Amino acid sequence: MSDQNNKIPANTAVETILTHGGREPNDHFGFVNTPVFRGSTVLFKTLADLDSQQQPYLYGRAGNPTTEGVESVVTALEGAHRTQLVPSGLAAITVALMSCLRSGDEVLISDSAYEPTRAFADGYLAKAGIKARYFDPRIGGGIAELIQANTRAIFVESPGSLTFEVQDLPAIAAAAHKHDIRVIVDNTWASPLFYKPLALGADIVVHSATKMFSGHSDTFGGTISTTEAAWKDVESTRRLLGFYTSGDEAFLLSRGLKTLAIRMREHEQRALDFASWLEQQEGVASVLHPALPSHPDHALWKRDFTGSGSLFSFVLPRGPRSALAAFVDDLRIFSMGYSWGGYESLCLPAKLVKNRTAVPWNSEGHLLRLHIGFEDLEDLKSDLADGLERYAKAR
Ligand SMILES: *Cc1c(COP(=O)(O)O)cnc(C)c1O
C-alpha cells in the first residue's frame, strides 16, 4: 500500500485510470472511495518496527492513503515514474525549480510563464544566488544559443496561460539534454489528457491541481510528476522543506479527477465554440486560442497536443480603463476572479507590463482571459456581446 504511487499498469486507458485509479476498496471495508485520512502520528507496534522503518507510513507529513491515491492517478496519466502532491500549484513550481538548482546556477524561463513563477525566480532564487533569464516562448531550438555552462534548468509553460504561445518542447528538450539540463513543464492548461510533456522530452511536469483536477473552485493542490532520474531530487526537496498536503484537500482532488476526462472534453468543445464565435464579433481585435487555425502556433499545437483547454484570451481594441470597466462591471454571467478550471465561467482583464522582458507584449488594447464553464453557451454569448456593445459605446 505504501507504493500506490506507481502501481496502475502502464497502458491503462485514461477513463479507466480516472475512475479506478487510487481506490483500494479492499483496504477500506469495501467502501468504494478512499476515505479522508487525517493524521500526524503513525504508531509503531514494536521497537523492531521503529528500528526497521519498513512500515508503509512513518509520519503523516510524508503522505497517507488519500494523498497517495491522487498521486498514483497523476503518475499514470502523465506516464511518470512517480508524483508528489504539494499544497498548491505554485508550491509544485517552486519545489520543482529548487530540486534542480543550487547557488551559482542559471535557469531559463519562458517569457509567457505564470507571473508568480517569475516572482519566485526574481524574488527568491535571485537571493539564493540563482539567476533567471527569460526567453522568447517561440524560440524553439534557438534556445541552444542561450545555454551557458551554469544553465541547469529550463522552465516551459505551454501554452502560456495569458498569451497562449505554444512552445516547441521537443526542440527545447533536445537542446537541454545535450547539456544534462532538466526541463520542467507547467501542464496546467492542457491537462495530461491533451499533452504529455514527459513523452516529448520533459523531465518534470507540474500542475496546478487547483484548476482542472479539482474542477470545482473549492480546493488547492499541486502535483510534480517526474522521470525516474529526476525523482530523488524532487522528493528530497519536498521532504526537506516540510510541505504537507492534507487528506481533506486530497479527497476533493480525487473526487474531481473522477470526471476529469468528461469535463475536459466538454470544456474543450465549449471553449472552441465560444472562441470561434468571438473571433467573428465586431469590436474584437484578436482571439488567442491555439486550436483556432488563425493562431500563429496552430501547427505546433496540432503536432504536439491532442486537444485544448477551457482557457483562452482575447484582445479589445485600445480604449480607456473606464470603457474596460463598462465592459466587465456589468457582465451578468461571466465573473471576474483569479484561478480557473471550475464549472463557472470567468473573465479576467490582465496587465502585461511587468511580466514580459524577453519579448515585450506589443498589443495595444486590453487583454482579457476567459475560462468557459458549464453555463448555457447562448447565455454566455449574449452576456459577452452586451459587454462588447458597452465597450464600443464607452470608448
Ligand atoms: C493557477 C496556476 C498556477 C498556480 O497554481 P495555484 O494552485 O493557484 O498555486 C500555476 N500555473 C498555472 C498555469 C496556473 O494557471
Side-chain angles (χ1 to χ4, degrees), residues 1 4 7 22-29 31-34:
M1 189 156 53
Q4 275 199 45
K7 76 192 270 185
R23 297 199 283 109
E24 298 292 337
N26 292 339
D27 294 342
H28 306 300
F29 306 99
F31 281 95
V32 69
N33 292 307
T34 302

Side-chain angles (χ1 to χ4, degrees), residues 88-91 93 114 157 161 186 188 208 210-211 220-221 340:
S88 71
L90 184 57
I93 291 165
Y114 178 67
E157 180 183 317
S161 56
D186 183 333
T188 305
S208 168
T210 312
K211 313 293 167 56
F220 266 96
W340 52 278

Side-chain angles (χ1 to χ4, degrees), residues 346-360:
L346 296 169
C347 174
L348 182 73
K351 283 189 182 162
L352 284 170
V353 187
K354 276 188 297 176
N355 46 356
R356 296 296 292 214
T357 49
V359 264

